[in-house]
Amino acid sequence: MKTILIVEDELPISQVLKVYLLKANFDTAQAFNGEEAMKKFHELSPSLVILDVMLPGKNGWDILKEIREENDTPVIMLTALGDVNYRLSGLNGGADDYIAKPFNAEEVIARVQAVLRRSDNNQEKVKKYGGLYIDIKSHRVSLNQVDIDLTPRDLSLLIFMAEHPNQTFTRDQLIEHVWGWEYDGSDRAVDLAIKRLRKALQSWPESEGEIKTLRGLGYQLSVYKK
């Protein structure tokens, strides 16, 4: 069950959203200010955040910025401000959708479902493990928002392992899947490619993941959930 974090300081509005989300088979969590919102965001890793703009203390724009500095969790901005400039600010700041108050709760649910569908489709093409970002479609790799240049073969190896995290592959299996059945060189090519990838990812914290050598078995891209 996907968890939706509702960040709204007006209790009646938060409760209405909670009731409708529960009816739509979502799990929910509520936060009523910015500090509580970020605490629950880190604790729960929600599938989506419904985020009010006007909050006591830290406002919604600041929270959106903090979320985007960490990951691409879908965010729907919720506000009484109807000015188009506010809407553009939210979308340009990384929001996935924008709903103005007063709203129809059923429309909010429809928007949540639509944003989650888009997010699920995008996740099939993008792999994120902590600060490591791998866009399979565009063949782009970045670590902590810094692009990493890899050779085509090393990139193919990393993508294959990222598509099968926490699975162990022998050299022969990696050669078959990445180099191809027609490859007739030494299996040392795998060891060298792994060595280059480790060097390229040397600033990737072990708390997020690493390329492991399992003696007598092969290699594995081990990733961890915080």
Side-chain angles (χ1 to χ4, degrees):
M1 185 179 293
K2 293 185 176 181
T3 299
I4 310 299
L5 175 59
I6 305 166
V7 185
E8 166 61 67
D9 63 317
E10 296 185 47
L11 181 58
I13 294 177
S14 181
Q15 289 296 93
V16 167
L17 290 170
K18 178 179 179 178
V19 168
Y20 274 82
L21 286 164
L22 289 173
K23 285 183 179 179
N25 295 318
F26 291 108
D27 196 3
T28 63
Q30 293 167 286
F32 300 94
N33 58 60
E35 182 177 347
E36 185 182 14
M38 290 310 298
K39 180 180 179 182
K40 290 192 174 180
F41 179 80
H42 290 130
E43 289 176 351
L44 302 173
S45 298
S47 300
L48 181 142
V49 180
I50 297 177
L51 176 59
D52 187 31
V53 171
M54 305 302 289
L55 294 168
K58 189 180 299 183
N59 66 35
W61 304 129
D62 294 332
I63 297 170
L64 175 63
K65 183 178 179 181
E66 285 188 38
I67 291 174
R68 284 294 166 264
E69 286 175 350
E70 296 185 21
N71 59 47
D72 56 358
T73 299
V75 177
I76 296 178
M77 303 300 292
L78 185 65
T79 180
L81 300 170
D83 193 310
V84 68
N85 290 328
Y86 286 103
R87 179 173 182 176
L88 292 174
S89 295
L91 296 176
N92 290 335
D96 295 87
D97 205 348
Y98 182 103
I99 299 174
K101 300 175 186 177
F103 56 80
N104 180 297
E106 292 182 352
E107 179 187 357
V108 174
I109 301 304
R111 296 282 191 97
V112 166
Q113 292 170 333
V115 169
L116 286 173
R117 282 196 299 271
R118 292 200 301 269
S119 177
D120 289 342
N121 289 335
N122 289 336
Q123 286 177 4
E124 293 177 1
K125 302 170 186 174
V126 174
K127 301 295 180 182
K128 286 199 69 175
Y129 302 116
L132 179 61
Y133 175 98
I134 304 171
D135 189 322
I136 296 171
K137 185 175 180 181
S138 68
H139 291 172
R140 176 173 169 259
V141 177
S142 64
L143 182 58
N144 300 323
Q145 300 182 350
V146 177
D147 286 346
I148 296 177
D149 291 325
L150 299 172
T151 66
R153 187 77 74 186
D154 291 357
L155 176 60
S156 295
L157 177 58
L158 180 60
I159 287 175
F160 175 76
M161 297 182 76
E163 289 178 320
H164 304 85
N166 300 322
Q167 294 184 38
T168 304
F169 296 95
T170 65
R171 291 186 182 89
D172 288 343
Q173 288 173 323
L174 291 174
I175 286 175
E176 178 184 352
H177 288 287
V178 179
W179 276 256
W181 61 269
E182 73 281 2
Y183 176 75
D184 60 359
S186 168
D187 61 6
R188 281 284 297 160
V190 176
D191 300 333
L192 295 173
I194 292 291
K195 183 178 180 180
R196 290 191 297 269
L197 285 176
R198 283 175 172 157
K199 183 177 181 180
L201 303 177
Q202 60 186 336
S203 59
W204 190 27
E206 288 188 8
S207 60
E208 296 177 357
E210 61 180 316
I211 299 177
K212 279 187 174 181
T213 301
L214 283 78
R215 190 176 300 277
L217 296 175
Y219 294 109
Q220 176 189 109
L221 181 68
S222 297
V223 297
Y224 311 99
K225 292 184 178 181
K226 292 184 178 181

